[in-house]
């Protein structure tokens, strides 16, 4: 007979008059229906037991409780809800102490806030990150947290979804104290001796209006179109204005409405996409190579950002450049990155010094010999890359991972320049590399599984979201982005102004439109590439020469004060330029195109059609393993709005039949290169979706 207790997600141990309730629901003790049901039953039993003196709530394994079970959020509500469990805890006459060992997040922290005391291990983390999932805390978090830390502080924490380490949480009063030794023992003692202290019975400390206004303004600045942020602010403010029980009811209704919103569904999709991306055929269980020392070749913008990202994660980094002048410039660049971080208040100057000291600079390449991982970030030109790898092959120690940060070039050709192609991989960082979350791990045909696994281990260590890509020009992200940008240029030639395009794309939710982005990154690099490739360009491809004309006039973007826009001294935003309009009109006339009105809707549909169509080609070619990987790349590296879940999630939401019609319309005016992807045609024809395609491949 199976032992029913063995499959129960909670364990109850009686020690004298104290009960220790351990939530044991791997992997992260999420509050699934079974956990809620058993907690409710346990607290109802405890309430009726007059011999008891206290209760401890603890988590088994690494976490306390990582929150509600996010997988349940796409299902109808399952009883009992967390608020019912929490009410039963508050109604229980015995003092309850939370022993927070690891993560207490979302519903996990709400559970802890329903306890009378909170003790935390030194490495515990607490927070209400619900807004990152497009929802608000739904079990009293917006009302109990301000009763501990004040309304202004609670707005800051909840609206940003901030996670606090135990010492900071204790300083703010979110936890009562940090326990260095045996946490459950300390909690047991406190439970036996303590008394009830329900947060619902307290009133929120009065904050001054200016502090609250400041917190609200900061929250709305950082909201990035996520409706939950505004709602979270509204809810926290209720803590100071209406009775607890009324506020709790409104919080719950708001939570439930947001739970079913398209934005929350999109953000949940990205949450699971991030976890699924780590599941790569052939690397499950493969042990990464050791990674104790790193090196970077080239200290330009990318190389210095990469060095900072590595040093920030505690790795010693050797940066090598070609000569002493380049070394000095590289050192200055890295210095400037840390100076900016310190000036922005994101790091104490002492910590910045410590990190800076982890990076050594020099022009002697023998410094690469000791590195377990070498990342090449030299000029984006095949011959220079080949020469760099030949040289590196002669110096690097056996077994070192040799990575290229190329954003377009053929990783297999680069690998073939060495005698150890199995050790070569692409690690495509995004600029600024110490800030942007995305890392494309480009797997060449010879790349060894433990080298790919090392890429993932590195990503985890430096806090990046990693996605595996196959070899093709531009991999996943840049290949889709350039197809999309080309379509936006077609629209400019057909009748839209650059500012029309940027406005429409920003209205869809991108932080910046493609022309403002081009101006920011500089037009000259693309121009040089186009000139280099002019001879090999397929003559059937529609070619827009406007960017070339801009460059011929020295308009290289922001750095020259002029590009697709003008950048007058002191102007915060790009300014549309009549000269650019004249140039566009001349170019359009030269090509014999009659300019026509282009609506914002057409711009948005075309942008999506271009991205989705190219993405479907990438999927069919096996460059990306799954549709959700592509969504992750676009959302984390290219500013695709998270609340829309990525291009392929957005495609499914719209319906693939409608998307295919847009793609066909795009093809009709764009011709060669924009043919509908056979995979899209197939999925649309069978009434399928990208999500189903992913599900079919996962089986
Ligand atoms: C909430 O609580 C709402 C309440 O206010 C409402 C109350 C009514 N549910 O990230 P990892 C899975 S909203 C279900 O790779 P790590 C994850 O998918 C929630 N599953 O590990 C993965 O599964 P698989 C608020 C979850 O060590 C596995 O666990 N809470 C959940 O790098 C390992 O995850 C949050 O937003 C979940 N809640 O990081 C916290 N969490 O192996 C979300 C994780 O099958 N979670 N899984 O792919 C996290 O931030 C991280 O997972 C955590 C661990 C830091 C806990």
């Amino acid at each position: 007979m199976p032992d029913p207790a063995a499959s129960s997600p909670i364990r109850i141990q009686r020690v004298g008059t104290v009960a220790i309730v351990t939530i044991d629901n791997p992997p992260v003790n999420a509050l699934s229906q079974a956990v809620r049901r058993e907690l409710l039953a346990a607290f109802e039993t405890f309430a009726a037991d007059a011999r008891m003196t206290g209760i401890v709530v603890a988590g088994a394994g690494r976490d306390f409780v990582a929150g509600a079970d996010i997988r349940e959020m796409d299902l109808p509500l399952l009883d009992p809800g967390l608020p019912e469990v929490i009410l039963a805890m508050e109604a229980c006459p015995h003092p309850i102490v939370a022993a927070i060992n690891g993560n207490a997040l979302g519903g996990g922290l709400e559970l802890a806030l329903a306890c009378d005391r909170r003790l935390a291990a030194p490495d515990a983390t607490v927070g209400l990150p619900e807004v990152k999932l497009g929802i608000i805390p739904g079990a009293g978090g917006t009302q109990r947290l301000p009763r501990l830390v004040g309304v202004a502080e609670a707005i800051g924490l909840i609206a940003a979804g901030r996670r606090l380490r135990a010492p900071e949480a204790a300083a703010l009063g979110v936890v009562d104290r940090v326990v260095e030794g045996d946490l459950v023992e300390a909690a047991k003692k406190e439970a036996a001796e303590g008394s009830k202290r329900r947060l619902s019975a307290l009133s929120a400390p009065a904050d001054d209006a200016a502090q609250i206004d400041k917190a609200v303004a900061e929250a709305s600045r950082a909201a990035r179109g996520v409706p939950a942020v505004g709602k979270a602010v509204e809810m926290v403010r209720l803590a100071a204005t209406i009775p607890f029980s009324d506020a709790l009811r409104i919080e719950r209704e708001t939570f439930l409405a947001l739970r079913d919103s398209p934005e929350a569904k999109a953000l949940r999709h990205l949450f699971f996409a991030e976890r699924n991306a780590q599941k790569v055929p052939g690397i499950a269980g493969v042990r990464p190579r050791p990674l104790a020392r790193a090196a970077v070749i080239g200290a330009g913008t990318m190389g210095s950002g990469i060095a900072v990202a590595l040093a920030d994660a505690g790795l010693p980094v050797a940066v090598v450049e070609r000569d002493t002048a380049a070394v000095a410039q590289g050192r200055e660049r890295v210095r400037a990155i840390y100076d900016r971080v310190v000036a922005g208040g994101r790091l104490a100057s002492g910590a910045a010094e410590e990190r800076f000291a982890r990076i050594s600079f020099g022009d002697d390449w023998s410094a690469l010999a000791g590195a377990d991982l070498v990342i090449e970030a030299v000029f984006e030109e095949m011959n220079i890359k080949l020469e760099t790898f030949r040289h590196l092959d002669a110096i690097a120690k056996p077994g070192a991972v040799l990575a290229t940060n190329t954003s377009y070039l053929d990783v297999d050709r680069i690998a073939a320049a060495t005698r150890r192609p199995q050790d070569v991989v692409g690690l495509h960082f995004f600029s600024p590399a110490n800030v942007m979350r995305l890392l494309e791990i480009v797997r060449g045909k010879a790349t060894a599984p433990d080298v790919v696994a090392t890429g993932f281990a590195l990503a985890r260590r430096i806090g990046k979201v990693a996605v595996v890509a196959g070899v093709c020009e531009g991999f996943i992200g840049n290949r889709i982005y350039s197809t999309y940008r080309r379509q936006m240029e077609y629209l400019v030639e057909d009748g839209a102004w650059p500012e029309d395009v940027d406005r429409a794309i920003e209205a869809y939710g991108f932080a910046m439109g493609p022309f403002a982005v081009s101006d920011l990154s500089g037009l000259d690099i693309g121009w040089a590439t186009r000139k280099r490739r002019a001879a090999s360009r397929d003559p059937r491809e529609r070619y827009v020469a406007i960017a070339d004309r801009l460059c011929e006039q020295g308009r290289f973007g922001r750095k020259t004060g002029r590009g697709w826009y003008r950048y007058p001294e002191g102007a915060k935003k790009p300014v549309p330029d009549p000269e650019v309009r004249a140039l566009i009109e001349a170019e359009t006339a030269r090509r014999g195109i009659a300019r026509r009105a282009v609506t914002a809707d057409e711009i948005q549909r075309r942008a999506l059609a271009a991205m989705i169509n190219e993405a479907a080609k990438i999927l069919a070619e096996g460059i990306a393993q799954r549709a959700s990987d592509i969504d992750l790349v676009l959302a984390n590296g290219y500013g695709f709005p998270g609340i829309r879940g990525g291009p392929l999630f957005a495609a499914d939401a719209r319906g693939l039949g409608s998307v295919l019609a847009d793609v066909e319309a795009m093809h009709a005016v764009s011709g060669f290169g924009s043919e509908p992807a056979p995979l899209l045609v197939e999925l649309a024809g069978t009434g399928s979706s990208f999500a189903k395609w992913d599900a079919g491949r996962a089986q």
Side-chain angles (χ1 to χ4, degrees), residues 27-28 30 62-63 66-71 73 82-83 103 105-108 110 129-130 133 135-139 163 252 255 271-272 275-276 278-279 460:
V28 294
R62 279 189 311 140
D63 294 297
D69 188 336
I70 303 170
R71 285 175 209 281
M73 288 189 192
L82 188 57
N103 286 291
L105 298 170
E110 291 179 299
E130 283 88 342
L133 292 165
I135 53 176
I136 59 161
R163 299 172 186 218
R252 184 71 182 164
F255 163 77
F271 176 84
F272 288 116
R275 271 93 202 149
N276 285 337
Q278 298 170 41
K279 295 168 191 156
R460 184 164 260 271

Side-chain angles (χ1 to χ4, degrees), residues 642-668:
I643 51 171
R644 299 199 187 252
L648 298 182
F649 183 84
D652 283 354
R654 166 104 148 265
L656 297 191
S658 157
V659 171
L660 180 59
D662 285 349
V663 168
E664 281 164 347
M666 168 178 85
H667 181 219

Side-chain angles (χ1 to χ4, degrees), residues 594-614:
R595 291 180 67 77
R596 63 180 177 85
V598 179
T599 64
D601 181 61
E602 181 180 354
I603 294 167
Q604 293 174 352
R605 293 174 84 110
R606 179 76 72 84
L608 273 181
M611 290 185 214
I612 296 164
N613 198 43
E614 196 62 28

